[in-house]
Amino acid sequence: MGWKQIISDSPFFQIVGSAASMNEWSPDSSQTLLLADLSQAKEQVLPQLSDLMGRTNIDLLLVVDLQNKVLIQELKEIGIRGILTTHCDAQEIKTALESIRLGKRFYCGDILDVLMQPLAPVKPTKSDDLLSTREIEVLKWVAKGLTTNQIADQLNVSTHTINSHRKNMLKKLELASPVELIVYAVKKGLVELD
């Protein structure tokens, strides 16, 4: 049984459109669930997903490649509530759809196994690779002048998480203060000062 059939069989969902990529998809105000196949995607989709998460009328259910452990961890970190793999059976898909509809979290068994395993540390090969996607996102908000509480609200995480990101960035970049972080962000073109 395919995805379209499973969704069509649900009394709560109706397929209103499809797109070949995230760039081709344009949400309308009535859509409530975006099912996206990210099995070929890399971490570059995270900013788009973060933007979509900010819209109250959209829920996300994502399908990922089980081998992309970094992406899976990042999706959990940014607060994605529904993650499946291409190997999920019809019952898992139905359970995921129902969980998302009810505002709950659903990760299939394979995804839970990945999330339980610690990631092997990756040695960056050049200075631009020092910061994770999430750290760069936090850095952009810091450079725009947001407080720790405001950034935590924007990203739907705790202030402790934001403080950890700040400390990690300072350590990785061998910087001494938040001001130096802002200077770094401007030099790297991550933000533009008005």
Side-chain angles (χ1 to χ4, degrees):
M1 182 179 286
W3 289 92
K4 288 185 177 179
Q5 184 65 48
I6 293 169
I7 294 168
S8 297
D9 288 348
S10 170
F12 303 106
F13 296 101
Q14 174 186 3
I15 297 174
V16 295
S18 63
S21 74
M22 297 281 285
N23 294 330
E24 292 179 19
W25 182 72
S26 57
D28 70 33
S29 59
S30 65
Q31 289 175 306
T32 58
L33 175 70
L34 169 62
L35 172 63
D37 182 354
L38 302 183
S39 58
Q40 303 299 314
K42 303 295 181 205
E43 288 77 25
Q44 294 87 342
V45 299
L46 293 172
Q48 282 178 293
L49 294 173
S50 293
D51 178 54
L52 288 173
M53 288 177 64
R55 303 180 191 195
T56 56
N57 65 314
I58 298 174
D59 283 318
L60 299 171
L61 181 56
L62 305 177
V63 180
V64 299
D65 177 7
L66 196 55
Q67 301 306 311
N68 197 341
K69 293 175 174 41
V70 173
L71 178 61
I72 292 169
Q73 292 283 356
E74 291 277 358
L75 291 174
K76 178 185 177 280
E77 190 176 318
I78 68 170
I80 298 294
R81 294 184 297 119
I83 309 174
L84 301 171
T85 71
T86 53
H87 305 294
C88 288
D89 62 28
Q91 186 55 51
E92 276 187 304
I93 297 167
K94 289 176 184 175
T95 304
L97 288 168
E98 181 65 8
S99 296
I100 297 300
R101 185 182 74 80
L102 295 173
K104 297 179 181 177
R105 183 182 305 259
F106 184 88
Y107 300 142
C108 73
D110 290 337
I111 295 296
L112 288 174
D113 288 344
V114 169
L115 293 174
M116 297 296 285
Q117 299 169 1
L119 284 177
V122 177
K123 293 268 185 194
T125 55
K126 56 183 183 177
S127 64
D128 290 347
D129 293 335
L130 285 175
L131 301 181
S132 70
T133 303
R134 178 58 108 179
E135 288 169 338
I136 290 171
E137 191 175 6
V138 170
L139 179 55
K140 287 178 181 179
W141 288 114
V142 168
K144 289 180 180 179
L146 272 69
T147 66
T148 298
N149 286 339
Q150 290 170 324
I151 298 169
D153 287 343
Q154 283 285 342
L155 301 178
N156 199 25
V157 295
S158 71
T159 55
H160 174 75
T161 299
I162 300 303
N163 284 329
S164 293
H165 284 311
R166 285 177 182 253
K167 288 177 189 173
N168 289 340
M169 288 188 287
L170 288 170
K171 184 177 179 182
K172 285 180 179 181
L173 299 172
E174 299 178 358
L175 300 175
S177 71
V179 172
E180 290 182 21
L181 270 179
I182 294 169
V183 171
Y184 173 87
V186 172
K187 282 183 178 178
K188 290 293 183 180
L190 299 175
V191 293
E192 293 180 9
L193 298 179
D194 295 331

